[in-house]
Amino acid sequence: MQAVVLAAGEGTRMRPLTANTPKPMLPVADRPLVAHTADMAIEAGADELIFVVGYEADAVRSYFGETYRGAPVSFAVQEEQQGTADAVSAAYEYLDGPFAVLNGDNLYDEESISTLFDAAPSIAAFRVGDPSNYGVLSTDGDSVTDIVEKPEDPPTELANAGAYVFPAEAREWLDVPLSDRGEREITDVVARVIEERSVTAVEVDRWLDVGRPWELLEANEWKLDEQTRRVDGDVRGDAELRGNVVVEEGAVIEPGVTIEGPALVRSGAHLGPNAYVRGATMLGENAHIGHGVEIKNTVVMADSNVPHVSYVGDSVLGHDVNFGAGTQVANLRHDGTEVKLTVKGDRVSTGRRKFGVVAGDGARTAINTSLNPGVVLSPGATTTPGESVTRDR
Ligand code: TTP
């Protein structure tokens, strides 16, 4: 079966992390987010991958190349982001049979996607207490009878989880009218498929739609937890690696370092001496974490540095970030309420009592900077020595 993977979006809610990297290419454990989607599709039986690309398309192209895990790969370009049905239309000329459509920024448990492929035509559903913010499925047994966007009075608890297998004819049903928000929506294609065919709802056990920075952290927590302990790098002296820790070949762990898994140290990363890494932390390629630094539950992307006596917790650092000596990240509010972040101009709760900061590519803090919970640093932002940063910059 062919699998169409939607990866044309910029990920505006993920800014500033998407300033130079499209959201599907942001790191989740040892590979880009969209590679997890591609892997699931292959495991479920896809024998051809068609990526719909747009924003920063070259990053997706160069990662996947012409074949991926033995499956031929094509790239369809969506010039303007005019909605998910429009994105699938971009792949029209490549389609020649039943096809799956998967969002390039969603994670599922692998088994459910295999069941989805086997049950074609089919749609993935996720059971949520209040599905009124989703597309909601009506069902008769396993069969889907209707789909309604954001209903006030949801007919079931089954939310549309954004993964589908369509019959070959659906290729001709993609040209749906613009919705009220001015996009061509895949929900309208799904509605047509339900009208024309018997469609099975496949309940997925686990689903994460990765849209905002703390969801990227959550995605890493999920995938780091699934990795298998492996130490291929250079671990020196009395460094101690506890639990589910992966150290890739080419990484160096100096004496005095303690790492508590799950944690991943990627190739070229340099850690210590005397650093403490714990709880679902991913240190990207060539990252440098120096003496006296504690890093907890954090994503540090490639080429970033936290070289001297700092604490960084529950945070996401983009590429080529540098935290000056003594930089401290606060990740818990005194009032214990959930940390909020500004997403596209609105204050939004992360749903987490503990969340630190988001640093865009190339952000640099000066010595002894303290950063408040929920602060977002733009790409290239700087601070002054001893500064206490309480607002985004
Ligand atoms: P969204 O998460 O709705 O869009 P986005 O990724 O651009 O993020 P944001 O809303 O923060 O700007 O899209 C869901 C999936 O569909 C995602 O994998 C991107 C993809 N997509 C396209 O490929 N083309 C499109 O026109 C749209 C709207 C989405």
Side-chain angles (χ1 to χ4, degrees):
M1 184 173 355
Q2 297 174 301
V4 179
V5 180
L6 306 186
E10 173 187 343
T12 50
R13 290 165 299 145
M14 190 61 86
R15 286 176 182 160
L17 300 169
T18 49
N20 308 300
T21 309
K23 182 172 67 178
M25 291 303 293
L26 290 173
V28 173
D30 64 349
R31 64 200 77 174
L33 175 55
V34 65
H36 292 281
T37 315
D39 289 339
M40 263 178 340
I42 302 265
E43 297 292 337
D47 54 10
E48 186 183 339
L49 298 173
I50 304 157
F51 292 92
V52 179
V53 293
Y55 179 74
E56 298 282 353
D58 284 350
V60 185
R61 279 181 209 277
S62 57
Y63 184 83
F64 288 99
E66 289 174 8
T67 54
Y68 182 73
R69 294 182 56 184
V73 170
S74 314
F75 299 94
V77 179
Q78 187 193 22
E79 299 292 348
E80 266 179 77
Q81 253 194 276
Q82 291 178 340
T84 40
D86 181 68
V88 184
S89 295
Y92 179 89
E93 62 180 293
Y94 296 98
L95 298 173
D96 60 9
F99 58 100
V101 176
L102 300 166
N103 286 340
D105 56 358
N106 282 205
L107 296 178
Y108 307 89
D109 63 292
E110 232 169 59
E111 210 169 299
S112 298
I113 295 301
S114 292
T115 311
L116 181 81
F117 275 44
D118 293 343
S122 52
I123 169 167
F126 187 67
R127 198 170 282 278
V128 283
D130 175 13
S132 55
N133 258 331
Y134 298 87
V136 180
L137 307 180
S138 298
T139 51
D140 179 5
D142 282 348
S143 192
V144 185
T145 53
D146 201 6
I147 180 165
V148 194
E149 267 309 310
K150 301 187 174 63
E152 269 177 29
D153 189 13
T156 64
E157 291 184 336
L158 296 175
N160 170 8
Y164 322 87
V165 183
F166 291 143
E169 298 78 2
R171 175 184 190 255
E172 307 304 333
W173 304 338
L174 300 171
D175 192 15
V176 292
L178 290 178
S179 66
D180 292 345
R181 60 171 181 174
E183 292 190 5
R184 295 184 206 285
E185 316 266 1
I186 201 154
T187 318
D188 293 324
V189 180
V190 174
R192 175 79 188 270
V193 177
I194 293 167
E195 255 174 53
E196 306 271 354
R197 294 282 184 283
S198 167
V199 175
T200 304
V202 172
E203 239 187 272
V204 299
D205 290 333
R206 209 167 165 193
W207 174 43
L208 178 62
D209 183 7
V210 182
R212 298 162 299 184
W214 59 91
E215 287 154 351
L216 185 69
L217 197 54
E218 206 175 323
N220 275 277
E221 289 164 357
W222 174 346
K223 291 295 163 184
L224 291 174
D225 213 30
E226 286 182 353
Q227 69 184 4
T228 310
R229 182 181 164 102
R230 177 165 60 84
V231 180
D232 294 334
D234 180 5
V235 179
R236 298 177 178 165
D238 62 351
E240 197 179 327
L241 314 183
R242 297 183 196 144
N244 180 0
V245 175
V246 172
V247 180
E248 291 184 350
E249 194 177 342
V252 176
I253 315 288
E254 299 279 7
V257 167
T258 298
I259 307 180
E260 285 168 8
L264 167 64
V265 184
R266 301 224 52 198
S267 178
H270 195 120
L271 187 49
N274 307 318
Y276 181 28
V277 173
R278 60 192 173 100
T281 288
M282 198 283 286
L283 303 177
E285 288 111 326
N286 308 314
H288 174 212
I289 306 300
H291 169 77
V293 175
E294 179 178 352
I295 304 245
K296 176 223 157 195
N297 190 208
T298 286
V299 171
V300 178
M301 295 187 202
D303 304 312
S304 286
N305 304 307
V306 187
H308 320 277
V309 280
S310 290
Y311 173 69
V312 183
D314 306 284
S315 296
V316 183
L317 274 53
H319 300 96
D320 195 28
V321 169
N322 194 84
F323 277 4
T327 294
Q328 305 293 339
V329 170
N331 61 341
L332 178 66
R333 293 169 50 92
H334 282 317
D335 61 11
T337 57
E338 290 169 356
V339 175
K340 290 186 174 143
L341 228 68
T342 302
V343 177
K344 293 182 87 172
D346 293 325
R347 294 295 283 167
V348 181
S349 174
T350 59
R352 302 168 79 107
R353 276 181 72 246
K354 288 196 173 171
F355 189 82
V357 300
V358 177
D361 294 351
R364 287 185 165 24
T365 63
I367 56 162
N368 295 331
T369 294
S370 60
L371 301 165
N372 258 31
V375 158
V376 176
L377 300 176
S378 306
T382 57
T383 68
T384 53
E387 190 177 353
S388 177
V389 182
T390 57
R391 288 176 179 268
D392 295 356
R393 67 173 53 181

